[in-house]
Amino acid sequence: MIIMITILLFLIGSAVVLQANLCLEEEILLLPPVNFTLIVTGLSQVLLRWKPNPNQDPKINSLKYKVRINTPNEDDYETKKTQSTSVNVLHRGFSASVQTILYCGSSFFQSSWVSAELQAPPGAPGTSAVNLTCITNILQDNVSLFCTWFVGKNAPEDTQYFLFYRFDRHTKECQEYRKDLWKRNIACWFPETAIDRKGRGQLAVHVNGSSKQIAIKPLDQLFELHAIDQVNPPVNVSAKMEGNRLFIQWEKPVSNFPRKCFDYEVNIYNIRKDYLWTQKIQENSFSLIVDPTCKYSLQIRATVHSNCRKSGLWSEWSQSIYVGKHQ
């Protein structure tokens, strides 16, 4: 065992010395990767795969690769692996490049680029769905998803749209649509989804279409879940007057986030004086001095605090409650 370890350390040391000697050379020839392919593995998801160049000098180790996404959105990153997954909208096509790179002491070497491309899917201009918006919401233990869109300006009257979503490895097709006057699908409702219940991660949505007259262009869109997750309103809101002081309290929304994770906005409307007073707080109770001769309507809404998740949507307002006298 000791002899094997000694031999292994000797081989590693030799490789390091060899690499160091190579770094002293003014120029190291790096060859580009081969067999670079792009494979669509899911909605808005592409697998980039390549192989090391078989003619590369075997004395050179510690090779890495630089990947460049050219379209639809430019992005550069480095990896030691020979494959990478890119999440991007694909309705405008997709292209990427990869090259071999080597950091050698203070020197940097790179090969030429190799590129691959996915053509944009067919479809007539102006026929795809437009203004796609989506909102998630927790209902009991499930996350619902509601998406709406408008019909493309050049889409024929017989156009029919179909929506799919992907979260992580789960892909589902819509089964509940809302239709316009021409019976075209313009909204979709998923009462249950596989979406993360704390609104973390990215949601891919795809809308394609069909028509007997022309090809309908598809639409892809990516949503950051924290930006579209609308929490529920606060519950059990109550209020009481004691002299000239108004006391309000409530409980956190139905949510997987703990109590400490919410910010609140309180609306207090003086009905007689037609005056609205608003306050943002983090507690679940609030009090202030008011005119005891007036009647007030109260509403509260909530959002997840930035310490627990990236900032997102506010909830709907709670139902109005009333307190005080109207004279």
Side-chain angles (χ1 to χ4, degrees), residues 27-59:
E27 190 65 37
I28 296 177
L29 178 62
L30 293 186
L31 300 178
V34 297
N35 298 339
F36 182 35
T37 58
L38 305 176
I39 304 171
V40 177
T41 56
L43 298 182
S44 300
Q45 185 170 270
V46 179
L47 176 64
L48 295 76
R49 183 181 290 168
W50 60 91
K51 292 183 179 180
N53 196 303
N55 298 319
Q56 183 65 61
D57 187 344
K59 297 191 297 293

Side-chain angles (χ1 to χ4, degrees), residues 91-108:
H91 63 271
R92 296 194 300 269
F94 180 90
S95 66
S97 304
V98 63
Q99 67 175 178
T100 309
I101 61 174
L102 173 67
Y103 291 96
C104 208
S106 59
S107 301
F108 173 74

